Amino acid sequence: MTDPLVAQVPAADLVRALVTVRQTVATAESLTAGLLAATIAGVPGASAVLRGGLVVYSTDLKHSLAGVDADVLATEGPVAASTAEQLAVGARSRCAADWGVGLTGVAGPDSQDGHPVGTVFLGIAGPVHSEVVRLKLPGDRWTIRIGATRTAVSELLRCVRETGSAGRAGRSH
């Protein structure tokens, strides 16, 4: 039986792309609570590229485990672009991976700190740069969480491919 999480996202493409460029990934997840790491791990051969993941559902763990600056959490909150970026950087550095992915947001049923249900911040930190994508996802908790996971896999795949292409373009033969 195929892993139902893998069937819904391009995780196999991501694992192949990471294997091709010989790079690794780690996650720091809040609203997805490990769903991204579990989805990647559902692909046969993922152990070659998945270093690990941090489930930082609680705000204090975003700081103590993932290294998000306490001042950022105090001023901008756990659901913020800067928090997602620091989660990604923390996952990358603490798990010694080439890529880090951070996910934070509001899956519902209630809004949080003025952010409506469906607000998600996705941070990606790589060998060259980091970026943050703000998402507004519709649906119930599961739909929002799987949507965030799907987007994280797709966006990381895009970044890996862009970085890999740039690296190959810069080489002389």
Side-chain angles (χ1 to χ4, degrees):
M1 180 175 159
T2 302
D3 186 313
L5 295 174
V6 173
Q8 297 186 40
V9 301
D13 293 339
L14 174 61
V15 169
R16 276 192 297 275
L18 286 166
V19 165
T20 298
V21 295
R22 294 186 176 100
Q23 293 179 337
T24 58
V25 64
T27 66
E29 303 177 63
S30 184
L31 85 150
T32 49
L35 190 57
L36 174 58
T39 299
I40 296 168
V43 176
S47 60
V49 298
L50 179 62
R51 292 278 304 150
L54 307 167
V55 175
V56 290
Y57 211 71
S58 200
T59 300
D60 63 309
L61 293 180
K62 289 173 180 63
H63 171 67
S64 63
L65 290 180
V68 177
D69 188 275
D71 290 337
V72 167
L73 291 169
T75 58
E76 298 181 45
V79 180
S82 55
T83 300
E85 182 176 21
Q86 289 189 18
L87 286 171
V89 170
R92 181 176 186 262
S93 65
R94 293 181 183 223
C95 295
D98 297 295
W99 294 92
V101 180
L103 280 163
T104 187
V106 184
D110 301 314
S111 62
Q112 178 183 340
D113 300 327
H115 296 286
V117 172
T119 301
V120 176
F121 291 95
L122 161 65
I124 298 176
V128 178
H129 76 290
S130 62
E131 61 184 65
V132 177
V133 178
R134 181 185 177 138
L135 309 171
K136 175 62 177 138
L137 301 173
D140 60 13
R141 286 178 60 79
W142 172 251
T143 305
I144 290 167
R145 293 174 69 230
I146 195 67
T149 300
R150 182 183 300 110
T151 303
V153 169
S154 297
E155 288 296 308
L156 179 57
L157 177 58
R158 176 188 57 79
C159 290
V160 169
R161 285 177 171 163
E162 286 175 0
T163 302
S165 295
R168 283 191 299 276
R171 293 183 193 143
S172 59
H173 297 277

